[in-house]
Amino acid sequence: MSGEHIVLVGFMGTGKSTVGALLASRLGRPFVDTDRLVEETAGMSVSDIFERYGEAEFRRRESEALVRALAGEPAVVATGGGAVLSEANRRAMTGAGFVVALVADPEVLTARLGRGAGRPLLSGDVRERVFRLLEERRHAYDFADLRVDTSHLSPEQVARKILEVFWSRKGENRP
Ligand code: S3P
């Protein structure tokens, strides 16, 4: 870890946004969600961007949003599940902070994702899409500094685990 941000990566439904918001409030830091940043900048939803301009254009905007988020003051940054697919994005994340991968069992993810609303890559059979994408991305989250399985933990428990490791790495002993 060379920077100051806490960066959350992980598949859709692993809890990045919920845990990220909690971490940010515990740390008194801003919370930045790159999907929301892309949406605010574009003035349209992620689904609309995929539909109108395609996935490649979404990825370009996502990388731009990530760079912007990492250039800001120390924050908790939640990324979209596919942000890790770009080598440049991975390098930017590891260079700018403590990268935490949230993971979860495929069945738990399928249940959490419901009908996949607002997630264009899940359109059709959500369970089939989840299993296929997880297989394609099997090692995509391995570069993180820490991995936390959120399958059977509450967001509070996940946040606590992350903070323990974050503070111990910084040599600080906080409650
Ligand atoms: C994607 C995940 C989504 C969003 C987009 C693509 C992915 O973010 O960026 O739909 O490729 O895994 P969440 O992980 O926040 O759902």
Side-chain angles (χ1 to χ4, degrees):
M1 180 182 79
S2 53
E4 278 289 315
H5 298 285
I6 293 182
V7 184
L8 300 180
V9 299
F11 198 79
M12 295 171 266
T14 50
K16 301 179 298 284
S17 301
T18 311
V19 170
L22 258 178
L23 282 172
S25 86
R26 298 279 150 81
L27 290 164
R29 290 176 171 210
F31 172 58
V32 186
D33 185 316
T34 59
D35 281 341
R36 299 295 84 76
L37 206 50
V38 167
E39 291 185 328
E40 279 165 25
T41 307
M44 67 176 97
S45 69
V46 168
S47 296
D48 286 344
I49 297 172
F50 265 75
E51 199 176 313
R52 279 206 215 173
Y53 305 116
E55 180 172 350
E57 174 60 17
F58 170 75
R59 296 295 172 206
R60 198 190 61 71
R61 293 175 187 223
E62 179 176 55
S63 297
E64 233 172 53
L66 179 66
V67 166
R68 234 183 323 139
L70 297 177
E73 63 181 297
V76 178
V77 180
T79 60
V84 297
L85 300 175
S86 143
E87 161 79 42
N89 287 356
R90 292 196 299 272
R91 227 175 313 116
M93 293 185 226
T94 47
F98 179 53
V99 182
V100 182
L102 301 186
V103 301
D105 298 340
E107 295 294 0
V108 169
L109 291 176
T110 303
R112 283 184 192 162
L113 290 163
R115 300 165 67 105
R119 289 179 163 111
L121 293 182
L122 297 182
S123 67
D125 180 339
V126 172
R127 187 170 182 279
E128 190 271 331
R129 296 295 300 147
V130 166
F131 276 72
R132 183 185 298 233
L133 282 169
L134 277 173
E135 179 59 24
E136 283 172 20
R137 297 179 181 178
R138 202 156 13 125
H139 297 295
Y141 307 101
D142 292 356
F143 73 103
D145 300 299
L146 172 69
R147 173 188 166 98
V148 180
D149 188 334
T150 71
S151 304
H152 307 292
L153 297 179
S154 67
E156 287 77 13
Q157 288 171 316
V158 176
R160 206 174 313 133
K161 267 184 181 252
I162 294 170
L163 286 175
E164 272 168 23
V165 180
F166 179 66
W167 280 323
S168 77
R169 289 200 184 197
K170 282 178 65 124
E172 288 177 38
N173 208 4
R174 301 283 195 86

